[in-house]
Amino acid sequence: MATVSAAICSATTGAGDGPILSQPLTISWRYETDQTTDFTPAADAHTVFIPMSSGVLVALNAVDGKLVWKAEAGGSFSAAPIADERSVFVAQGYGDPDRKPVSGALRALSKTTGVTLWMRTLPVALSSGLAFDPVSLFGASPDGHVYAFDKRTGLVLWSNQYEEEFSAPPTVAGDHVYFGSQAGTVRALNVKTGKLEWQYKAGGAIEGPVAVSDRVVYFGSADGNVYAFSEIRARLLWHRRTGAAVQAVTAEPNGVLAASLDNFAYFLSLNKGALIWRRQLPGRILSRPLTASDAALFTPFSTDQAIVLNLRDGKTANTLMLGEENSSAAAPISVDSLVLITIPHGLLAFSAPR
């Protein structure tokens, strides 16, 4: 049974624009369970939605970690949940995961009650993550299908079929939704029609979401490179090699932050991909870091620490003790002044004075 323990350290919070990662962070509350998954929780300004290995979605009050509701979604989760102003969307798979393809379903739950608002069955479970814009919900499956669903009803607005497998979460920016494939292709599709606007093929699989800034699309590949593609010029601006596959990239005001499986974090210039700094971390980095104006927080594997690096020079700005060795690929997230980190036996909520 999952339980919420009392706060074990004092926390100071404030209103406004999120945590300051370089300040001391202390544990505000802890949610204990042995059913966490590698899927990143969803959240809004008030509630955190945690996908459990048992197929149950748990909603917690973000302020104190108290249980709001539980929903038996059925099957097992096949992608990380995502929440908009009305619903939390979950993708599920049914059947033996060792026998593929696995059939699936997409479900919208009420954020306030956990009651199912609609459900759409699918021939193959969505496995690449979810993204949305004001009208549509986007996802893709290992059989090469990419979809746009109506967020209010679950009806399929459009779908495309490709001869490639998709496992990277989609990204929405402006009029485009971006999908990266196991074949190394990044595609920009029109959100309303699914029309292909452009595509670029890297030298290896695209495992993580792309980042978009000023009409430039940044992404990492299993070939060890970080890429920057200009949508305005319709060509590659630059690529920069790291020491191993690149799982995650974020576009920051002063550079591109990339996490590589060589255990290094790289900070590259936006325009040319020049190396500004790189820092070695104590374990592999499979998840996208949590970034703020001052710093970035990483949750490396096989260590009991989360590491905060200063974005200006890459030096260690903070260390968060997790209390157990991390083995979760779920990314850290923030809710207002809280930092939320998934660990093998639960969820930790840290807060920082501002």
Side-chain angles (χ1 to χ4, degrees), residues 11-21 25 28-29 42-48 61-64 290-294 297 332-340 349-354:
T12 304
T13 62
D17 54 1
I20 299 177
L21 297 175
L25 291 111
S28 177
W29 54 262
D44 62 14
H46 310 288
T47 313
V48 185
N61 185 304
V63 173
D64 56 17
L290 172 64
T291 59
S293 59
D294 62 324
L297 183 148
I333 61 173
S334 66
V335 179
D336 191 23
S337 61
L338 289 175
V339 172
L340 303 175
F350 292 83
S351 61
R354 291 184 296 174

Side-chain angles (χ1 to χ4, degrees), residues 33-124:
T33 175
D34 59 359
Q35 296 183 9
T36 57
T37 69
D38 283 338
F39 295 123
T40 302
D44 62 14
H46 310 288
T47 313
V48 185
F49 306 95
I50 309 173
M52 298 293 185
S53 59
S54 59
V56 173
L57 189 72
V58 174
L60 304 179
N61 185 304
V63 173
D64 56 17
K66 299 270 179 78
L67 180 68
V68 178
W69 51 257
K70 286 184 180 182
E72 184 75 48
S76 59
F77 293 103
S78 59
I82 192 169
D84 69 359
E85 69 282 351
R86 172 176 176 255
S87 308
V88 54
F89 304 99
V90 296
Q92 302 146 278
Y94 298 93
D96 185 351
D98 295 327
R99 297 180 63 186
K100 298 184 179 182
V102 175
S103 62
L106 181 64
R107 191 186 299 257
L109 308 177
S110 165
K111 289 201 307 182
T112 56
T113 66
V115 172
T116 296
L117 303 176
W118 56 255
M119 186 182 76
R120 169 69 53 184
T121 59
L122 298 167
V124 178

Side-chain angles (χ1 to χ4, degrees), residues 206-290:
I206 310 299
E207 299 282 358
V210 308
V212 185
S213 178
D214 295 329
R215 299 294 305 277
V216 178
V217 181
Y218 303 94
F219 54 96
S221 169
D223 67 4
N225 282 288
V226 179
Y227 293 86
F229 185 92
S230 170
E231 296 194 285
I232 295 174
R233 301 181 187 180
R235 67 177 180 85
L236 191 70
L237 294 181
W238 54 261
H239 64 90
R240 172 82 185 195
R241 175 164 291 281
T242 71
V246 178
Q247 295 291 102
V249 298
T250 66
E252 306 303 321
N254 298 315
V256 181
L257 184 63
S260 173
L261 293 187
D262 63 0
N263 296 13
F264 278 86
Y266 295 78
F267 199 58
L268 311 174
S269 69
L270 291 169
N271 294 331
K272 296 183 179 181
L275 180 65
I276 299 173
W277 55 258
R278 73 168 191 160
R279 289 292 180 272
Q280 187 173 17
L281 292 167
R284 283 193 163 190
I285 313 156
L286 294 180
S287 61
R288 177 178 271 191
L290 172 64

